[in-house]
Structures are given as structure tokens and as C-alpha cells.
């Protein structure tokens, strides 16, 4: 029996085809010194993870930027409404400790504490929870609508417009 060159070539081609089918493109990638499919898949997953983390950071920056813009807009609204914002450094130091919220709307300030207490009673009888706030200059103020966000302050200011006992010259205390 004689085996010809064609038969050997056919067997070699069949073996090569079998190797190709068994290992796919990875066989040729490895021969060429290129990354195989496992490395490519790991790299793809790593890139997707990095992109997701980047999107998360960008979203955080956008959210913070939006929050700052909203705060500035609210401060402008308060300023346009001619409402002053007073800082806590003007308060008696022990009075700062007792205040539970960052912002209070001050509806009156009196040199006699008894006058402040009368206004506080009027506010209480109208469903508000007043706080007496003492300033370094000896005045006692009546604060209402305690809140921790500027958006709440603006909403509270809008809600006070119809109350007869609330004067036009209210201001906002920033307790931070």
C-alpha cells in the first residue's frame, strides 16, 4: 500500500482544521503573540467598570453643581424680596447652642423681652412654634419656621405673606 503526498497533506489539513475548531482564534492569536479572548473579555469588563465609576463621579459633580446653583438662586430670591440674612455671630453664644435648626425666620426683635414673648404667644396661637433668640446687642428676637434648607426658608417666607401679625421686615437667621 502506497501513501501519497496528497493523502499526507489531507491528513495534515484535517489535523490543522481540528486544532482550529478546538481552539478557535485563540490558537492563532497566541501564535501571533496577541491577547486571547479571556484577556480581551477581562479588559472589556475592566473598561466598563472604569467608565461606570467615571459616570458616577460626573453625576456627583453635576448634582453638587445643581445644588449650589439652587442655593444661590434661593439666596437671590430672598435678597430680591428684601429679606436680610443674619449670621449667628451676632447671637449670644449660649443662645446658639439651643437652636435646633440652621435657619429661622425672624419676625420681630425687641429691646424688652416681654414684647418678644407677646409676639411669640401670637405666633403660637396662629399655629407656629416660635423660639426666643437673644442677640449680643441685648435684643430678643422671635424666630419661627425652623428649617435646614434654603428651599424650605423660601417656601416658609411665601407662606407667611397672609399672616397679619407678621411684619414686612422679616429676616432670616443663618445659625451656622
Amino acid at each position: 500500500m502506497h501513501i501519497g503526498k496528497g493523502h499526507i497533506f489531507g491528513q495534515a489539513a484535517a489535523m490543522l482544521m481540528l486544532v482550529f475548531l478546538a481552539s478557535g482564534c485563540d490558537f492563532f492569536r497566541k501564535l501571533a503573540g496577541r491577547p486571547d479572548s479571556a484577556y480581551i473579555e477581562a479588559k472589556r469588563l475592566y473598561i466598563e467598570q472604569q467608565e461606570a465609576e467615571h459616570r458616577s463621579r460626573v453625576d456627583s459633580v453635576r448634582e453638587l453643581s445643581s445644588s449650589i446653583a439652587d442655593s444661590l438662586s434661593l439666596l437671590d430670591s430672598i435678597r430680591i424680596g428684601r429679606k436680610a440674612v443674619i449670621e449667628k455671630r451676632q447671637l449670644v453664644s449660649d443662645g446658639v447652642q439651643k437652636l435646633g435648626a440652621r435657619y429661622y425666620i425672624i419676625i420681630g426683635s425687641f429691646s424688652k423681652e416681654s414684647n418678644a414673648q407677646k409676639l411669640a404667644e401670637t405666633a403660637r396661637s396662629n399655629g407656629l412654634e416660635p423660639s426666643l433668640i437673644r442677640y449680643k446687642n441685648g435684643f430678643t428676637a422671635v424666630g419661627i419656621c425652623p428649617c435646614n434648607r434654603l428651599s424650605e426658608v423660601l417656601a416658609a417666607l411665601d407662606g407667611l405673606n397672609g399672616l397679619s401679625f407678621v411684619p414686612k421686615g422679616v429676616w432670616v437667621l443663618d445659625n451656622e
Side-chain angles (χ1 to χ4, degrees):
M1 179 158 121
H2 182 293
I3 300 178
K5 292 182 186 178
H7 184 64
I8 293 175
F9 180 72
Q11 284 181 340
M15 288 296 284
L16 187 59
M17 193 67 151
L18 183 62
V19 169
F20 176 71
L21 291 174
S23 63
C25 294
D26 284 341
F27 173 75
F28 292 108
R29 287 184 180 144
K30 286 180 184 178
L31 282 178
R34 307 290 292 167
D36 62 9
S37 59
Y39 176 84
I40 292 170
E41 179 63 16
K43 187 69 169 181
R44 184 187 65 76
L45 292 173
Y46 174 77
I47 290 170
E48 285 178 358
Q49 176 190 6
Q50 293 299 310
E51 287 174 347
E53 289 174 6
H54 177 71
R55 280 191 303 272
S56 175
R57 285 189 299 269
V58 168
D59 289 346
S60 292
V61 168
R62 283 187 183 135
E63 188 176 309
L64 181 60
S65 177
S66 176
S67 175
I68 289 170
D70 289 347
S71 293
L72 291 173
S73 175
L74 287 168
L75 281 173
D76 284 344
S77 296
I78 291 170
R79 193 175 306 117
I80 288 169
R82 292 190 168 72
K83 309 296 186 230
V85 177
I86 306 297
E87 297 173 350
K88 75 175 184 178
R89 68 175 178 247
Q90 297 170 342
L91 300 178
V92 173
S93 60
D94 67 339
V96 175
Q97 307 301 322
K98 296 176 186 174
L99 299 177
R102 177 169 181 179
Y103 300 106
Y104 286 82
I105 297 174
I106 306 299
I107 58 172
S109 182
F110 304 91
S111 59
K112 291 185 180 180
E113 187 172 335
S114 61
N115 290 338
Q117 289 173 346
K118 287 178 191 174
L119 181 58
E121 270 309 308
T122 303
R124 191 172 284 109
S125 67
N126 281 278
L128 298 170
E129 190 57 42
S131 297
L132 295 180
I133 303 168
R134 290 171 182 76
Y135 284 87
K136 289 179 181 178
N137 65 3
F139 279 67
T140 302
V142 178
I144 58 172
C145 304
C147 47
N148 291 311
R149 298 180 59 134
L150 281 172
S151 58
E152 295 169 354
V153 171
L154 190 59
L157 284 168
D158 288 341
L160 294 176
N161 286 338
L163 299 176
S164 61
F165 70 95
V166 177
K168 291 185 181 188
V170 301
W171 67 89
V172 178
L173 169 67
D174 183 350
N175 190 35
E176 264 190 29

